Amino acid sequence: MKRLAIGVSCACTLAAAMAQTTADDTIKTQQLNEVTVEARNQQLGAEVSTYIPTSKQKNGAQTATDLLNRMAIPQLRISPEDEITDLAGKSVDIFIDYIPASKEDLEGMRMHDVKKVEYYDFPTDPRFQGKAHVVNFVMQKYEYGGYVKGYGWESTANSGQLNLYGKLQYKRMTFDIATGAFYINRSHSGSDTYETFRLPQPDGSVSEFERKSIQEYAKSRTRTYWPTFKALYSSDKITIQNTVGANFNSIPVNDRRGYVIYSPEVSPRTDFSSSTASRVNSLSYSGYWNFILNENNSITFAPRYAYSHTNSSSLYTESSAGEYYNAAKDDSHRFSSNLTYSHSFGKWGKLNAMVQTIITTNKTRYTGTSDTHDNAHTYRVGPGVQYSVSAGKVYAMAGVGFHWDRQEYLDHKENSAAPWIDFSLQYSPDERHSVRGEFHHMKSIPSSSYRSAAIIQSNPLMSYTGNPNLVSYGSYDAGVNYSFVPNNNLSLSAFATTWIVDNRYVYDYVPTENGILRTIKQPGGGYSQWDYGAYATISLLGQKLQLTAQLNATSVHNGAPYNLNKTDLLYALRAYYYLGNWSFSGMYYSPQGYPDGCMVGTWMKTKSTIMLQAGWSNSTWNLQLQIFDFARWNWKSNKSFMHSQYYDKIEQTYSINDHALAKLTVTYTFGFGKKVRHGDEATQQSGVNSGILK
């Protein structure tokens, strides 16, 4: 995506110039042509890149993600599912006026109030809480008033969403209240699985056979409801925001039926049925407190607490193999905080001293094929310092600290300490060129959901368990990025990154008397991933037409127990055309292959995506009609492949998401008062991940 620019287009006509001749002392005049001076709306910088959206882009966009897509910022990549990452696929944190924002914030934002968009790599501004890659929306400021916004969509995939946002500002206080609902009804979901078992026998031989589970019927329903309330106090030196919210998510029905066959036949064909249900109720609080002590010192504190209660159950039946019932109840709590003290040395740089704290507890009860209690606690304290210096064309940041971790599972206790390191060097010789290099190292805590010692049987031949002895694992990543923005009509970027995981834990499939037990082993073989590619955007016809192309390659080495080496190439094209209040767009994403994380040996293969869109908008209404994959009329979706010594699995999923469908999205915004401040709407609040074994 592109970095922020400054200025607006303006035109001036030069007055007639006078020329005096020496031959006859008469004065002659000459009329010069009109000269148009266009200010840059894209500007690269060593410390921050800035981009100014055009009026066409803001008028056509419904949400902040939609706006970023239209702006085509060269350092950003947005997937067809609207996931915002950098070009290498790394997470990007979104802020609105330097306050953390969520997906619902981006949907509730009023597009016409966006003044500019800033992109940062490894910023040391304490308001960004040490995040590595940041997009910050700078919004129009207002005196008092408010607005109401409705955002909703409905699709032929039997799914829909409706969110309502309300904002009221009076003097230094701003209040937000928001609520939303989401539903899915599906009859074309689920998967077919093709499993290969290689089971050693007592006589030294190996029994190898294939188990095919073919789905013939599926039905599922999903329901989500959420309310949120937010209060913000803002002055020149103090910003305090507190948000409380709840989230209620349920899948009351998820049923499948079909048949199972073996090759060579080890048992006759049997019918199967599967029924699962789950409910997650969450409450959360998040705070953001920033205090400017004087022109050189500030303190930022960001606490967060979340609680989730989870109920889940499943019943799998095969006509000749009996029933397998499993249920789990979980109560999980998570508290985290980031405290940062910042001091500026002026031209000599800035120093941040920070402390991160995380406390997680999970209490889980399993019934069914396993009857057991789990009780897990995780603690992390991470002090550190960051120092940055900006010297015109060069911005450098170095950070170092420690993570002290304590993990408790039943009677097992594990203590560890490890350093974390951040380094970034950026050089921008002018506002058209920018090159960046970065390095990052840290250790991550395994999720409590992987620690359970319970052995749960999901079907006649497959069981799974966790590993109470898991310890933190390290990761290293490094990359380079080059961006070139010669003018408002062209931008280019190229990148290359690598990611290496050390002492990782992996799913390991081991033979038992009853088939295969999926355990979690540590350490697994080495894992490394390389991503490299390019991104280009060109605007034509007075910026009425915008064309964007993306090329990205991924290479992966996934060592034992999978021994997987794969490379895949993705290419994508997107176009926008503006005509008055109308806008039209089209998108094509090629099929993509990628690893499903470093813990598993699964290689995912997606379908291609085609989308056509037409939209009409004014300052109040915005309507968009999208048509996806109009030439595809089967329900086949992603396909995955996994190979190990004793067990292989190929899974063909089915979904409406890769079937032809249409989606209508409507927003309506009503503003009142004088100069309302927008941009930090209340949002759906998430809970905390449960400790149920996955």
Side-chain angles (χ1 to χ4, degrees):
M1 299 189 170
K2 302 178 181 177
R3 299 191 175 185
L4 293 176
I6 53 174
V8 293
S9 298
C10 62
C12 59
T13 303
L14 299 181
M18 305 295 293
Q20 183 174 3
T21 64
T22 58
D24 55 6
D25 292 327
T26 60
I27 296 177
K28 296 182 180 180
T29 63
Q30 181 178 358
Q31 184 71 34
L32 299 182
N33 294 330
E34 181 179 279
V35 177
T36 300
V37 180
E38 183 179 33
R40 293 178 59 83
N41 59 13
Q42 304 178 101
Q43 180 172 309
L44 302 179
E47 187 171 357
V48 58
S49 294
T50 58
Y51 302 88
I52 294 179
T54 66
S55 58
K56 296 184 183 69
Q57 292 167 342
K58 291 194 289 186
N59 192 57
Q62 289 185 326
T63 67
T65 305
D66 189 6
L67 180 61
L68 292 177
N69 249 326
R70 295 170 185 268
M71 295 176 67
I73 294 176
Q75 295 97 333
L76 296 181
R77 184 172 75 184
I78 303 177
S79 71
E81 296 78 28
D82 288 340
E83 180 185 4
I84 303 171
T85 66
D86 72 355
L87 293 183
K90 298 177 183 177
S91 174
V92 172
D93 290 274
I94 311 298
F95 288 72
I96 299 174
D97 282 333
Y98 307 95
I99 296 176
S102 70
K103 175 178 177 290
E104 288 71 33
D105 284 322
L106 304 185
E107 292 174 347
M109 184 189 297
R110 191 174 186 181
M111 295 300 99
H112 290 278
D113 288 341
V114 179
K115 296 179 64 178
K116 63 180 179 178
V117 180
E118 301 173 331
Y119 178 78
Y120 298 82
D121 287 303
F122 292 93
T124 52
D125 187 325
R127 295 175 293 182
F128 294 135
Q129 303 173 33
K131 304 300 184 181
H133 308 287
V134 169
V135 167
N136 180 50
F137 287 87
V138 178
M139 310 300 291
Q140 175 67 55
K141 302 298 189 295
Y142 293 83
E143 294 180 3
Y144 64 88
Y147 75 89
V148 175
K149 179 177 180 179
Y151 169 83
W153 59 265
E154 184 75 24
S155 81
T156 56
N158 287 326
S159 59
Q161 177 178 332
L162 177 62
N163 294 348
L164 298 174
Y165 306 89
K167 176 186 288 291
L168 176 64
Q169 179 177 335
Y170 180 71
K171 296 183 178 180
R172 298 186 185 275
M173 292 298 303
T174 303
F175 301 96
D176 293 81
I177 187 168
T179 187
F182 170 76
Y183 84 94
I184 303 177
N185 293 327
R186 296 283 168 85
S187 57
H188 299 282
S189 59
S191 63
D192 295 336
T193 59
Y194 305 84
E195 301 167 290
T196 300
F197 295 82
R198 288 177 288 272
L199 305 179
Q201 301 300 303
D203 61 3
S205 63
V206 175
S207 174
E208 181 172 338
F209 58 91
E210 184 180 70
R211 180 180 185 269
K212 300 179 182 178
S213 178
I214 308 301
Q215 177 180 292
E216 295 180 304
Y217 167 86
K219 183 178 181 180
S220 67
R221 290 189 299 163
T222 301
R223 301 289 185 268
T224 300
Y225 309 94
W226 59 271
T228 297
F229 175 77
K230 178 187 296 185
L232 170 67
Y233 172 83
S234 181
S235 67
D236 293 339
K237 293 189 175 183
I238 298 176
T239 300
I240 298 177
Q241 178 176 281
N242 294 291
T243 304
V244 293
N247 193 69
F248 308 99
N249 179 270
S250 67
I251 305 177
V253 176
N254 187 14
D255 297 338
R256 297 171 55 222
R257 293 198 297 268
Y259 62 89
V260 176
I261 57 176
Y262 294 86
S263 178
E265 184 175 304
V266 295
S267 67
R269 165 177 164 160
T270 61
D271 295 327
F272 81 86
S273 65
S274 171
S275 179
T276 64
S278 66
R279 173 178 288 275
V280 182
N281 297 329
S282 302
L283 299 173
S284 65
Y285 160 80
S286 62
Y288 175 83
W289 308 344
N290 177 255
F291 305 92
I292 300 175
L293 306 180
N294 53 47
E295 62 180 11
N296 295 322
N297 299 278
S298 67
I299 293 177
T300 301
F301 181 55
R304 176 178 171 82
Y305 168 77
Y307 163 76
S308 290
H309 176 75
T310 303
N311 276 331
S312 65
S313 63
S314 66
L315 177 63
Y316 178 85
T317 303
E318 274 193 34
S319 55
S320 63
E323 294 184 346
Y324 300 88
Y325 173 76
N326 292 288
K329 293 183 178 181
D330 178 271
D331 287 286
S332 295
H333 304 261
R334 188 178 193 272
F335 170 80
S336 65
S337 68
N338 284 283
L339 176 63
T340 303
Y341 168 76
S342 179
H343 176 74
S344 174
F345 298 98
K347 67 178 182 179
W348 302 108
K350 178 185 291 184
L351 178 69
N352 288 342
M354 62 199 72
V355 178
Q356 179 194 47
T357 304
I358 300 175
I359 302 173
T360 302
T361 66
N362 304 92
K363 295 184 178 180
T364 309
R365 169 68 191 277
Y366 297 97
T367 56
T369 60
S370 179
D371 192 340
T372 186
H373 291 267
D374 282 348
N375 193 351
H377 302 266
T378 301
Y379 308 90
R380 162 167 283 188
V381 178
V385 293
Q386 286 181 330
Y387 180 78
S388 67
V389 61
S390 182
K393 300 178 180 180
V394 177
Y395 170 76
M397 188 284 300
V400 64
F402 266 85
H403 284 146
W404 279 276
D405 299 329
R406 179 176 176 84
Q407 301 161 62
E408 300 176 357
Y409 173 76
L410 298 178
D411 295 330
H412 178 83
K413 296 177 175 60
E414 176 72 29
N415 296 302
S416 63
W420 60 264
I421 301 170
D422 285 334
F423 176 76
S424 177
L425 180 63
Q426 302 176 54
Y427 174 65
S428 183
D430 54 43
E431 61 187 18
R432 295 172 172 82
H433 301 267
S434 177
V435 61
R436 168 178 56 86
E438 66 179 69
F439 172 80
H440 179 66
H441 165 64
M442 68 170 294
K443 285 203 171 184
S444 300
I445 305 174
S447 170
S448 298
S449 62
Y450 298 136
R451 296 184 180 281
S452 177
I455 299 178
I456 297 173
Q457 188 164 5
S458 58
N459 65 48
L461 291 173
M462 180 61 69
S463 302
Y464 58 97
T465 187
N467 183 350
N469 299 310
L470 295 179
V471 298
S472 300
Y473 63 95
S475 64
Y476 305 82
D477 56 85
V480 293
N481 180 286
Y482 170 72
S483 297
F484 175 52
V485 183
N487 53 53
N488 291 337
N489 299 318
L490 179 65
S491 67
L492 303 168
S493 60
F495 72 97
T497 65
T498 184
W499 180 43
I500 299 173
V501 181
D502 179 45
N503 195 38
R504 67 171 179 145
Y505 51 82
V506 295
Y507 285 148
D508 192 19
Y509 298 85
V510 297
T512 68
E513 294 181 357
N514 298 321
I516 290 291
L517 174 66
R518 190 204 72 188
T519 66
I520 302 178
K521 176 184 176 182
Q522 189 180 36
Y527 181 91
S528 57
Q529 180 174 325
W530 297 266
D531 289 277
Y532 37 93
Y535 188 90
T537 298
I538 185 171
S539 296
L540 305 169
L541 306 178
Q543 297 189 343
K544 291 183 179 180
L545 176 63
Q546 177 181 292
L547 304 174
T548 299
Q550 174 187 330
L551 187 67
N552 187 80
T554 299
S555 298
V556 173
H557 167 71
N558 192 337
Y562 307 113
N563 300 312
L564 173 72
N565 293 281
K566 283 277 192 178
T567 296
D568 186 81
L569 183 68
L570 164 73
Y571 59 92
L573 303 170
R574 185 185 288 268
Y576 286 100
Y577 180 72
Y578 299 92
L579 183 63
N581 286 346
W582 290 87
S583 66
F584 305 90
S585 67
M587 176 187 70
Y588 173 78
Y589 264 73
S590 70
Q592 180 182 9
Y594 63 93
D596 191 21
C598 68
M599 182 181 177
V600 300
T602 303
W603 182 260
M604 305 295 297
K605 192 68 177 179
T606 69
K607 292 290 189 74
S608 62
T609 300
I610 300 177
M611 185 273 292
L612 298 177
Q613 175 179 288
W616 179 90
S617 59
N618 58 23
S619 60
T620 302
W621 289 93
N622 189 307
L623 294 81
Q624 291 184 6
L625 176 64
Q626 296 175 314
I627 301 176
F628 293 86
D629 302 316
F630 48 85
R632 186 180 299 135
W633 293 92
N634 63 72
W635 307 102
K636 290 184 178 180
S637 186
N638 297 346
K639 198 171 186 178
S640 64
F641 307 83
M642 191 281 296
H643 171 78
S644 64
Q645 182 178 359
Y646 300 107
Y647 176 72
D648 302 342
K649 182 178 181 180
I650 299 174
E651 185 171 19
Q652 172 65 66
T653 61
Y654 295 92
S655 172
I656 186 64
N657 294 333
D658 289 291
H659 184 279
L661 65 87
K663 179 179 178 181
L664 177 64
T665 307
V666 179
T667 67
Y668 174 79
T669 307
F670 170 74
F672 56 91
K674 181 181 179 182
K675 291 194 174 183
V676 185
R677 178 180 177 180
H678 303 298
D680 46 6
E681 289 76 13
T683 66
Q684 176 182 351
Q685 299 298 297
S686 59
V688 54
N689 293 332
S690 76
I692 297 175
L693 178 62
K694 299 177 182 178

